[in-house]
Amino acid sequence: MSTDNPTDRATVAASIQRLFRNTVVAVSGALSRRDGQVGLAVSGLTYFLLYLAGLRHLGLGPAGYEVSVVSNPLTRAFRQVGPFQWEPIALVVVGPVELLVAPLNMLLGAVLALLVGLNLAVSVVAWRGPAACRLGPGAGAVSGLPGLLSGFACCGPTILLAVGVQASAGLLSLFQWLLPLTIVALFGTLLWVGSRVETA
């Protein structure tokens, strides 16, 4: 005999809906301010470029102009070369900048960059003007901490690779498998901020 109470399930569902709604309120409030918009753009773009550089897909070389595409690009775009890494299908050279185009890697990097940018944007606005995110007294400064920590967890392995610090193959593999946990952590941070929103 089931012990589930329809009233309890309805209460849980309402709480989840309220949490997501409040998270949207906090994010929208942050992005309605110039400092939030700048935080999103700067941190998101910086992380995206570092992510590509960490994969060795973005770098500098001899100046030139070139676009070359591999054979069967649609098939090879889905070919994995490591955990959460896919094969590049094109090389684009513009001046000294060289970019290996791997669509799925770029999509994953863009998602991570967006999450990092949103976390940092909310963190900055929550610290400078918590009322914009409808956060309660004292929640502004505290809410910035998990966003910064999550952003560091995301950026740390990529920065390690980008600056050329040597690491074992096992450590680099571990960093790649941490990506799903990082995404969950970044989503969790935004939901945590949503739980601090004061309803009218």
Side-chain angles (χ1 to χ4, degrees), residues 92-150:
V92 178
V93 179
V94 178
V97 179
E98 297 180 353
L99 172 65
L100 288 173
V101 179
L104 294 183
N105 287 338
M106 298 180 77
L107 176 61
L108 179 58
V111 170
L112 287 168
L114 176 62
L115 289 173
V116 170
L118 288 176
N119 272 274
L120 268 295
V122 170
S123 297
V124 169
V125 174
W127 173 57
R128 298 188 61 185
C133 297
R134 292 172 60 179
L135 295 172
V142 176
S143 67
L145 183 60
L148 292 172
L149 291 178
S150 295

Side-chain angles (χ1 to χ4, degrees), residues 11-199:
T11 301
V12 172
S15 298
I16 293 174
Q17 290 178 356
R18 183 167 57 252
L19 176 60
F20 278 96
R21 184 169 58 250
N22 290 346
T23 301
V24 171
V25 168
V27 172
S28 299
L31 296 183
S32 68
R33 290 171 48 117
R34 178 63 60 86
D35 50 0
Q37 296 168 3
V38 171
L40 170 63
V42 172
S43 59
L45 179 59
T46 299
Y47 177 80
F48 183 67
L49 294 178
L50 284 173
Y51 185 84
L52 293 180
L55 294 177
R56 312 293 191 193
H57 288 183
L58 179 66
L60 300 176
Y65 296 92
E66 176 187 351
V67 177
S68 57
V69 181
V70 301
S71 59
N72 301 319
L74 293 180
T75 300
R76 296 175 67 173
F78 293 92
R79 183 181 299 170
Q80 280 192 281
V81 295
F84 303 101
Q85 291 189 35
W86 290 267
E87 183 176 341
I89 61 170
L91 170 65
V92 178
V93 179
V94 178
V97 179
E98 297 180 353
L99 172 65
L100 288 173
V101 179
L104 294 183
N105 287 338
M106 298 180 77
L107 176 61
L108 179 58
V111 170
L112 287 168
L114 176 62
L115 289 173
V116 170
L118 288 176
N119 272 274
L120 268 295
V122 170
S123 297
V124 169
V125 174
W127 173 57
R128 298 188 61 185
C133 297
R134 292 172 60 179
L135 295 172
V142 176
S143 67
L145 183 60
L148 292 172
L149 291 178
S150 295
F152 180 77
C154 242
C155 296
T158 301
I159 293 175
L160 177 67
L161 293 175
V163 299
V165 175
Q166 295 299 313
S168 67
L171 183 59
L172 296 181
S173 178
L174 175 62
F175 283 155
Q176 293 299 324
W177 283 107
L178 285 175
L179 281 175
L181 296 179
T182 299
I183 292 175
V184 171
L186 289 168
F187 268 121
T189 300
L190 292 176
L191 292 177
W192 184 87
V193 171
S195 72
R196 309 297 297 176
V197 170
E198 291 188 335
T199 56

